[in-house]
Amino acid sequence: MSVLVLVEHDNQSLNPATLNVVTAAAQLEGDVDLLVAGSDCQSVADSAVKIAGVNKVFIADAPCYEHQLAENVSALTKELATNYQYVLCSATTTGKNVLPRVAALLDVQAISDVIAINSPDTFQRPIYAGNVIATVQSSDVIKALTIRSTAFDPAAVGDGAASIEVCAIVCDLGLSRFVKEALAVSDRPELTAADIVVSGGRGLQNGENFELLYTLADKIGAAVGASRAAVDAGFVPNDMQVGQTGKIVAPNLYIAVGLSGAIQHLAGMKESKIIVAINKDEDAPIMHVADYALVADLFDAVPELTEKLSPSN
Amino acid sequence: MKILVPIKRVVDYNVKVRPKADGSDVDLANVKMAMNPFCEIAVEEAIRLKEASADTGVTIDEIVVVSIGPSKSQEQIRAAMAIGADRGILVETDDNLEPLALAKCLLKIYQDEAPGLVIFGKQSIDGDNNQTGQMFAALAGLAQATFASELKLSEQGVEVTREIDGGLQTLAMALPAVVTTDLRLNEPRYAALPNIMKAKRKPLAKITLEALGLECSPRVKTLEVAAPAARTAGVRVNSVDELVDKLVNEAKVV
Ligand SMILES: Cc1cc2nc3c(=O)[nH]c(=O)nc-3n(C[C@H](O)[C@H](O)[C@H](O)COP(=O)(O)OP(=O)(O)OC[C@H]3O[C@@H](n4cnc5c(N)ncnc54)[C@H](O)[C@@H]3O)c2cc1C
Ligand SMILES: Nc1ncnc2c1ncn2[C@@H]1O[C@H](COP(=O)(O)O)[C@@H](O)[C@H]1O
């Protein structure tokens, strides 16, 4: 038995979500091998070999893999995966774009958003916006899984001693072409990996008012998220959306400000360790999920909280 | 050019579903059903492309919606027609097919219909799979642009802006191609009453799953469904001072 993990990266550094996938992979049977497909991506392979528990790292370095185009990366992954019993990647937008395509090429049914591995063929995953957890058993010879990173600890980095093997397969299907990318730049921690997340909703009223949350976040080293209503209204960009159809987060502390806590929002944050809700409506659903619920006007409470909280008091 | 839009009948997004007492499945008795929200967005986008034919230079002759599911899925097909889809196909089955099997069915329909664009929803809100569009694109050998928030059609092909974790990415694809919709692509219109009446007379073909001659036996078996672990009840705090005290001294998270 062996596991192939598709590494997520930007040709320079490894996306930390891959470390959680390696932990999930280690719970399956057999060697764990990694595939780094990219262009000028040697530095990614060099960090991948240091991940604890990894056996071998394949590096497929070609211009056609530069932007992780689904058609090319899937075709490549399929070629390698036929020698494995599992192919895994993280349940990020990159993983969700590529893995189902790999599975279809292999004629297997993929399993999305795995949160627990019960046995070599049995897994748990949330359905219906996380209102229900399904336990599912796969009969496919190759099991294709996307892994929800919040459900597995990151693998240790540093003491791994994997070998690197060059993979010369070039799958340039020429079906789609990369045009451009507009990536958010932020000095704050990455939303899905942050220890503390401060999120705002429609109650913030506009984009400028999100400054209140940024100030609070910067004081306590938090990432900032948002409800869909806040993103839809243009207060903040799409990459900040938390929820069923946005990002899944599970920080130690989630502070929900001026958002109601719709089912779809809860799906993305209810595994957080401690939830704080600040809302002027005591009956908003988020107030019933929160460990600490404060009925207040956010425009009073947030500045006061910012003033009174200090980084690791 | 023709646009094909696969749509799914699902539980209404406001319903909080629960497992059945025996844990065999979710309890969907007497719950409200609707078109999957992402599919509505897909239908709306097809209609907008048809309306914009003069601007894009690409004439959309027909929008065909297809659903694979129980007989009642006709309601959702009619709903799509009421906002502007021209024709419907129902592949009737009471089985809840997996994305791979759905992709295989849709490939047959695609081969018959030969559309220039296939617009899927990115995810169905019941199974939360987020797979069918990608699997279909693989089987059809087509380019894919998932999680679309903007779509520009021209004679050269389609340019799609995608919502990715880090921000936005734009891809260009020749036609035919596959797109899956994200929430911000558009806001679906409501059906006007006269159009609801008119939709009843639009053509809706029904075929059986058996007629497609596919082997659709499930690869993944659901052993159990259960409610997620409940959170312990929280407390009301009466002031920011009390909140800070709890966070620092009780929860010890800051
Ligand atoms: C298919 C689908 C997928 C979806 N996916 C997601 C998703 O991934 N993530 C997501 O978040 N949503 C998602 N949604 C949307 C979701 O259903 C809700 O519409 C949305 O989460 C509401 O956002 P909100 O809580 O900011 O707004 P509202 O529900 O309008 O809540 C605003 C809250 O702010 C409070 N408030 C207002 N002013 C103040 C003030 N001055 N001080 C304190 N409190 C104040 C109000 O009491 C209220 O509770 C999805 C919907 C659909 C149909
Ligand atoms: N039963 C179905 N019939 C037609 N289209 C479907 C069906 N199930 C899923 N789809 C399409 O595939 C998309 C993604 O669904 P899923 O992969 O289940 O998350 C949906 O938004 C639809 O466009």
Side-chain angles (χ1 to χ4, degrees), chain B residues 78-121:
Chain B
R78 294 285 175 205
M81 289 171 165
I83 60 169
D86 299 295
R87 183 157 62 85
I89 302 171
L90 171 65
V91 180
E92 214 173 318
T93 172
D94 286 330
D95 295 341
N96 196 359
L97 297 193
E98 294 168 349
L100 181 64
L102 291 167
K104 289 178 181 177
C105 292
L106 292 168
L107 182 63
K108 292 256 182 188
I109 307 283
Y110 169 79
Q111 286 161 345
D112 279 354
E113 297 284 342
L117 195 60
V118 190
I119 312 182
F120 286 79

Side-chain angles (χ1 to χ4, degrees), chain B residues 142-158:
Chain B
L142 297 178
Q144 71 184 51
T146 50
F147 326 143
S149 64
E150 199 186 338
L151 205 151
K152 283 191 203 133
L153 188 63
S154 71
E155 281 162 3
Q156 285 72 49
V158 61

Side-chain angles (χ1 to χ4, degrees), chain B residues 27-48:
Chain B
D27 190 355
L28 293 182
N30 305 316
V31 302
K32 190 175 167 210
M33 303 295 281
M35 194 190 319
N36 183 41
F38 291 97
C39 301
E40 270 187 294
I41 294 169
V43 175
E44 173 68 31
E45 194 62 19
I47 298 165
R48 290 190 188 189

